[in-house]
Amino acid sequence: MSGLLCRKRRKEGVVNDLQEEGKNAINAPMSPTPITLDPEETLLEENEERTMIDKASREDLKYIELKKVLIDWINEVLVEERIIVKSLKHDLYDGQVLQKLLETLANCKLNVAEVTQSEIAQKQKLQTVLEKVQDLLRPQGWPIRWTVDAIHGKNTAAILHLLVALAMHFCAPIRLPEHVSVQVVVVKKREGLLHTSYVTEELTTTTEMMMGKFERDAFDTLFDHAPDKLSVVKKSLITFVNKHLNKLNLEVTELETQFADGVYLVLLMGLLENYFIPLHHFYLTPEGFDQKVHNISFAFELMEDGGLKKPKARPEDIVNLDLKSTLRVLYNLFTKYKNVE
């Protein structure tokens, strides 16, 4: 028994020494700023490299929001699978959740083992999942900023890059916070010492840039360089839509929210084109994301029938309360119908 206790103490001593070595190396003068790592993150083999998001970035409110939005989305998609994700880092690394997520979103079945315990099997599953993802994203030219080793190594930045790409590709009914960047700490062990470097990674830009489908226009310039004039534009558009919606005893005060379910947009098109829209063509009281998207898509069809070009905005963006998308659609209507009484 005493021999066993001695061996246990020696093992604990080695682990403590390694942890202390990691802390000392990380906080040495060669580091630009002191950082705090979990003990397991300092236990590296020679020439092994590990990346992690620094503490300040992890505490950033937009970063926290991004993680929460993505976790809630995954849990909503996988609700019938009875899968509950609490941590992106610890719940997605083995490929099990990612497999189910992709199969549900893409309505496909991957040829992988359902349960994988060994590291080799987990990486094989991840390889299959990520190859399928790459096949889906390749036509869009989406940059691949994740690898099997990064995901399996619980690299949170890589996992977030992957999830953001999937959310954009599948038009997830969520609103991702824009312009989320994090500082990533890269730690590598060389000659027994830990060396650190820092890289800033951009996790999200704007919805439009991430979709990669839109050219910049006057509204991009307005939002970026003349936000003080935004209220003037909104007021003009509110006056325009109320001039017609008031005929139905309806009134708009908030553009981004009151057009989000598509009802007012459909009714407005009927008023502008002077025809009645049968109620069975749209949902007067839509329930859920899909019915709202249906309404806005139907309104877009009515606009095209009226001689307008198909709107650049996505119905999903309007449902997600994207003000810029809503303004684009309403401004096109204003341009064509401003003289209609």
Side-chain angles (χ1 to χ4, degrees):
M1 177 64 76
S2 60
L4 178 62
L5 290 174
C6 288
R7 286 197 298 272
K8 184 176 180 181
R9 289 195 186 102
R10 282 199 298 271
K11 183 177 180 181
E12 289 175 348
V14 170
V15 171
N16 290 335
D17 288 342
L18 285 169
Q19 291 177 1
E20 192 63 31
E21 170 197 340
K23 292 177 183 177
N24 290 339
I26 288 295
N27 293 311
M30 62 186 297
S31 299
T33 55
I35 58 175
T36 303
L37 301 177
D38 295 331
E40 65 177 37
E41 293 170 337
T42 66
L43 300 177
L44 305 180
E45 299 293 333
E46 184 66 19
N47 292 321
E48 183 182 355
E49 183 177 282
R50 191 164 297 170
T51 61
M52 60 224 68
I53 297 173
D54 78 347
K55 183 178 180 181
S57 294
R58 294 198 305 268
E59 294 175 351
D60 181 77
L61 294 181
K62 291 175 70 174
Y63 170 77
I64 294 172
E65 180 189 358
L66 177 63
K67 289 208 306 179
K68 182 181 185 305
V69 169
L70 289 171
I71 287 173
D72 290 346
W73 171 57
I74 294 170
N75 287 334
E76 180 66 26
V77 172
L78 298 180
V79 63
E80 294 186 4
E81 298 285 344
R82 298 187 178 182
I83 292 175
I84 299 177
V85 171
K86 295 182 179 180
S87 166
L88 297 178
K89 178 178 178 178
H90 296 292
D91 294 341
L92 271 64
Y93 81 96
D94 62 359
Q96 183 74 23
V97 173
L98 287 175
Q99 173 207 340
K100 294 297 183 181
L101 179 65
L102 185 60
E103 289 180 337
T104 304
L105 291 171
N107 192 26
C108 66
K109 184 67 177 176
L110 298 177
N111 185 24
V112 293
E114 285 298 318
V115 180
T116 50
Q117 298 292 341
S118 70
E119 178 179 333
I120 293 176
Q122 289 172 354
K123 287 188 174 182
Q124 287 175 341
K125 172 180 283 192
L126 275 173
Q127 184 69 39
T128 302
V129 172
L130 296 184
E131 284 177 356
K132 178 64 174 178
V133 170
Q134 191 163 345
D135 289 342
L136 291 170
L137 298 181
R138 187 179 292 112
Q140 296 178 338
W142 195 279
I144 306 302
R145 303 177 68 179
W146 54 84
T147 64
V148 170
D149 287 338
I151 300 295
H152 195 267
K154 302 181 181 180
N155 183 322
T156 307
I159 293 171
L160 287 170
H161 282 306
L162 172 61
L163 293 176
V164 168
L166 289 175
M168 290 293 100
H169 177 79
F170 289 102
C171 300
I174 57 178
R175 183 166 179 77
L176 298 177
E178 299 185 342
H179 300 297
V180 179
S181 294
V182 293
Q183 188 176 52
V184 175
V185 184
V186 182
V187 182
K188 186 171 185 177
K189 189 169 187 176
R190 291 199 308 267
E191 297 178 357
L193 294 176
L194 296 180
H195 299 262
T196 62
S197 59
Y198 297 78
V199 179
T200 298
E201 290 200 24
E202 191 175 50
L203 299 177
T204 67
T205 54
T206 65
T207 300
E208 293 176 358
M209 289 178 67
M210 288 186 286
M211 289 303 300
K213 294 182 179 179
F214 305 108
E215 297 178 358
R216 288 183 63 82
D217 60 12
F219 281 98
D220 292 305
T221 304
L222 181 69
F223 273 71
D224 293 343
H225 304 293
D228 53 310
K229 297 181 181 178
L230 183 59
S231 60
V232 177
V233 175
K234 290 174 67 175
K235 185 176 180 180
S236 297
L237 292 176
I238 287 174
T239 301
F240 164 69
V241 298
N242 280 336
K243 173 184 174 182
H244 301 282
L245 289 176
N246 285 166
K247 299 170 187 175
L248 299 177
N249 294 321
L250 301 173
E251 185 166 359
V252 170
T253 57
E254 291 291 336
L255 294 176
E256 58 263 59
T257 57
Q258 289 181 268
F259 282 95
D261 62 7
V263 175
Y264 279 15
L265 206 53
V266 171
L267 296 176
L268 181 60
M269 281 308 303
L271 292 165
L272 293 173
E273 286 289 338
N274 195 28
Y275 53 65
F276 173 74
I277 301 174
L279 297 180
H280 65 271
H281 282 300
F282 68 104
Y283 298 96
L284 192 59
T285 55
E287 297 179 0
F289 183 81
D290 291 339
Q291 292 186 4
K292 294 176 182 179
V293 169
H294 168 87
N295 282 353
I296 295 173
S297 298
F298 176 56
F300 283 7
E301 292 176 10
L302 297 178
M303 293 175 197
E304 290 185 83
D305 290 343
L308 287 166
K309 291 182 179 180
K310 184 178 180 180
K312 295 198 323 181
R314 300 187 313 148
E316 293 84 358
D317 293 334
I318 295 177
V319 175
N320 285 332
L321 308 180
D322 183 70
L323 177 59
K324 197 185 297 183
S325 297
T326 305
L327 291 179
R328 282 194 176 101
V329 172
L330 294 178
Y331 184 75
N332 284 343
L333 296 181
F334 172 76
T335 301
K336 179 175 174 62
Y337 298 102
K338 59 185 176 183
N339 295 323
V340 173
E341 294 299 327

